[in-house]
Amino acid sequence: MRLKEETEYEEEKREESMVAQKYSIGGGFPQPTKAVVVGYALTSKKTKSFLQPKLEGLARNKGITFVAIDPNRPLSEQGPFDIVLHKLSGNEWRQILEDYRQTHPEVTVLDPPDAIQHVYNRQFMLQDVADLNLSDAYGTVGVPRQLVIKKDASSIPDAVNRDGLKLPLVAKPLVVDGSAKSHELSLAYDQYSLQILEPPLVVQEFVNHGGVLFKVYIVGEAIKVVRRFSLPDVSKRELSTNAGVFRFPRVSCAAASADDADLDPGVAELPPRPLLERLARELRRRLGLRLFNLDMIREHGTRDRYYVIDINYFPGYGKMPEYEHIFTDFILGLVQSKYKKRTAKPVEEPV
Ligand SMILES: O=P(O)(O)O[C@@H]1[C@@H](OP(=O)(O)O)[C@H](OP(=O)(O)O)[C@H](O)[C@H](OP(=O)(O)O)[C@H]1OP(=O)(O)O
Ligand SMILES: Nc1ncnc2c1ncn2[C@@H]1O[C@H](COP(=O)(O)OP(=O)(O)O)[C@@H](O)[C@H]1O
Ligand SMILES: [Mg+2]
Ligand SMILES: [Mg+2]
């Protein structure tokens, strides 16, 4: 509220300085004087890969502490938390989080359980990318054509013929549930061999991309992109001389970084930054998520035709360069914007 004799500019400056006192704004991001408490509910594998000493150390210096959440105890009895980070499976846990969000609106729960659930199903995962239909001077971003097979595997050949899907095809389990099985991929040179697979699954056109994919990590407004080795191209000759289905367990996780590899420049070139920024901004909004990554490929032989083939919630950030700086800045940014909202001037209702 403006004090007597104070101009709007002076009022703004005074409010900024109040925020600065609480968070002692120095260079870069504000340093909280009061500790920011981040509760985390993660698997032990995730805790190990995410909560590395370099993250905890930097966080401590910036006034952020990470506290483990016990999912078997009432959430309200733990904390208090400023932020809750989570990636645990199960309907029961989802309900606990939803209830907690209702009763503790002051806590930022990253991210909303319903929004996460949406990307755990490959039928819906890429829908927002398709709807976005992104096309500008920097390129186009689409998704490979796919069909969903819920029950009967014997219906696959007819469904593939009816929809005119082009060979080769990849089949992926419909639901991503964190299990190794949900990452088992099958590459088929003909539609008939897919009948040996167990639905529910999606059958997707395989897009040649020079054997390299781009992992686009998103943390709030920050974006980092790295190269990873991927499945090699399938040539026309290979397609005509081969038949059958090849299974690949956990292709993407097993894949090594391709950042230092000696690659054909046309394959190695990263997607243009403005295109990634627009894509990330739109998807953040449409998906309602702040922590995710995209697997993106560029059709081999083109300069600007991109496809998103996978979206992962709270991926392996430990593999993202400088993640400790990006993540701690993100947390401080969240706290600061929450504080600013709380101290924002109430809008006067017209009489
Ligand atoms: O295990 P990591 O650290 O490689 O992370 C996995 C991700 O790898 P990425 O960061 O994209 O290389 C991985 O990404 P991909 O699906 O392999 O592209 C998944 O996000 C996986 O989670 P979930 O098994 O689907 O629940 C992630 O597994 P969790 O760590 O969440 O169990
Ligand atoms: N449509 C596709 N075209 C080309 N390669 C693909 C396609 N879909 C998946 N792949 C390859 O298979 C890997 C695993 O598929 P992905 O959809 O990312 O599943 P996961 O969730 O298990 O990582 C990708 O990283 C990529 O190497
Ligand atoms: Mg993937
Ligand atoms: Mg995935």
Side-chain angles (χ1 to χ4, degrees):
M1 198 220 292
R2 200 179 306 172
L3 302 174
K4 222 172 150 194
E5 308 290 320
E6 194 179 51
T7 64
E8 197 170 2
Y9 174 78
E10 284 166 338
E11 178 196 10
E12 255 173 39
K13 286 284 143 208
R14 182 172 50 76
E15 279 183 357
E16 263 175 29
S17 108
M18 275 163 60
V19 176
Q21 273 165 32
K22 184 163 186 231
Y23 295 105
S24 58
I25 296 172
F29 261 94
Q31 305 284 307
T33 49
K34 180 180 153 289
V36 175
V37 184
V38 181
Y40 62 92
L42 304 170
T43 60
S44 52
K45 168 182 167 253
K46 194 76 173 172
T47 304
K48 200 159 158 240
S49 72
F50 175 70
L51 263 191
Q52 293 177 27
K54 63 181 178 188
L55 174 68
E56 279 199 293
L58 184 67
R60 204 176 310 116
N61 289 340
K62 292 185 174 184
I64 303 165
T65 35
F66 288 98
V67 177
I69 288 174
D70 178 351
N72 299 314
R73 278 182 48 221
L75 259 182
S76 312
E77 287 174 17
Q78 303 177 61
F81 304 117
D82 296 292
I83 292 166
V84 167
L85 290 179
H86 65 94
K87 187 173 179 181
L88 291 178
S89 49
N91 289 342
E92 208 180 315
W93 170 247
R94 214 163 73 231
Q95 195 53 53
I96 291 174
L97 275 178
E98 274 304 350
D99 295 346
Y100 183 76
R101 286 179 74 219
Q102 301 297 323
T103 50
H104 295 74
E106 75 287 2
V107 182
T108 306
V109 176
L110 293 172
D111 276 304
D114 285 351
I116 299 171
Q117 208 56 25
H118 182 75
V119 295
Y120 278 169
N121 187 316
R122 296 191 202 265
Q123 181 177 3
F124 310 118
M125 174 197 275
L126 305 177
Q127 193 54 52
D128 289 288
V129 182
D131 293 346
L132 181 57
N133 209 3
L134 180 51
S135 175
D136 64 15
Y138 295 99
T140 62
V141 183
V143 302
R145 293 208 299 145
Q146 69 174 35
L147 59 87
V148 180
I149 304 292
K150 289 256 167 80
K151 272 200 195 110
D152 181 12
S154 66
S155 69
I156 296 177
D158 277 351
V160 167
N161 289 336
R162 191 189 56 231
D163 287 12
L165 255 53
K166 282 216 314 264
L167 297 166
L169 298 165
V170 282
K172 311 177 189 184
L174 182 65
V175 176
V176 180
D177 59 9
S179 66
K181 210 167 164 39
S182 68
H183 293 285
E184 203 178 274
L185 182 116
S186 305
L187 178 65
Y189 290 97
D190 66 281
Q191 62 269 51
Y192 304 100
S193 55
L194 287 169
Q195 291 177 101
I196 62 162
L197 300 181
E198 259 174 62
L201 41 85
V202 296
V203 175
Q204 198 176 79
E205 286 186 345
F206 181 87
V207 178
N208 279 344
H209 53 283
V212 171
L213 73 78
F214 307 106
K215 281 256 165 202
V216 184
Y217 290 95
I218 293 157
V219 177
E221 282 171 25
I223 305 170
K224 272 269 171 192
V225 49
V226 298
R227 298 178 193 89
R228 288 260 183 96
F229 282 114
S230 176
L231 292 180
D233 290 354
V234 177
S235 67
K236 284 210 177 86
R237 193 185 141 76
E238 235 178 301
L239 189 60
S240 61
T241 52
N242 276 315
V245 51
F246 295 81
R247 295 188 194 233
F248 298 89
R250 272 228 100 128
V251 185
S252 133
C253 268
S257 162
D259 274 328
D260 301 322
D262 187 15
L263 299 167
D264 168 355
V267 168
E269 192 187 355
L270 295 177
R273 192 84 202 165
L275 188 72
L276 292 183
E277 270 164 17
R278 197 163 151 204
L279 179 65
R281 188 173 60 240
E282 283 290 344
L283 289 184
R284 246 188 337 256
R285 192 174 61 79
R286 288 171 187 243
L287 295 169
L289 296 175
R290 276 171 284 194
L291 301 175
F292 59 104
N293 77 5
L294 314 171
D295 289 353
M296 215 174 153
I297 55 177
R298 178 173 48 228
E299 189 165 0
H300 201 175
T302 76
R303 273 213 67 193
D304 57 3
R305 201 176 304 159
Y306 294 92
Y307 292 87
V308 174
I309 53 171
D310 188 21
I311 300 180
N312 303 298
Y313 178 63
F314 204 142
Y317 283 120
K319 286 175 267 172
M320 164 181 159
E322 298 172 276
Y323 88 104
E324 66 277 26
H325 294 277
I326 292 175
F327 223 92
T328 47
D329 280 353
F330 167 65
I331 288 168
L332 293 183
L334 279 180
V335 176
Q336 191 195 27
S337 64
K338 221 164 38 169
Y339 184 78
K340 271 195 177 155
K341 256 192 218 141
R342 261 192 242 145
T343 57
K345 290 167 277 184
V347 181
E348 274 180 35
E349 292 289 329
V351 271

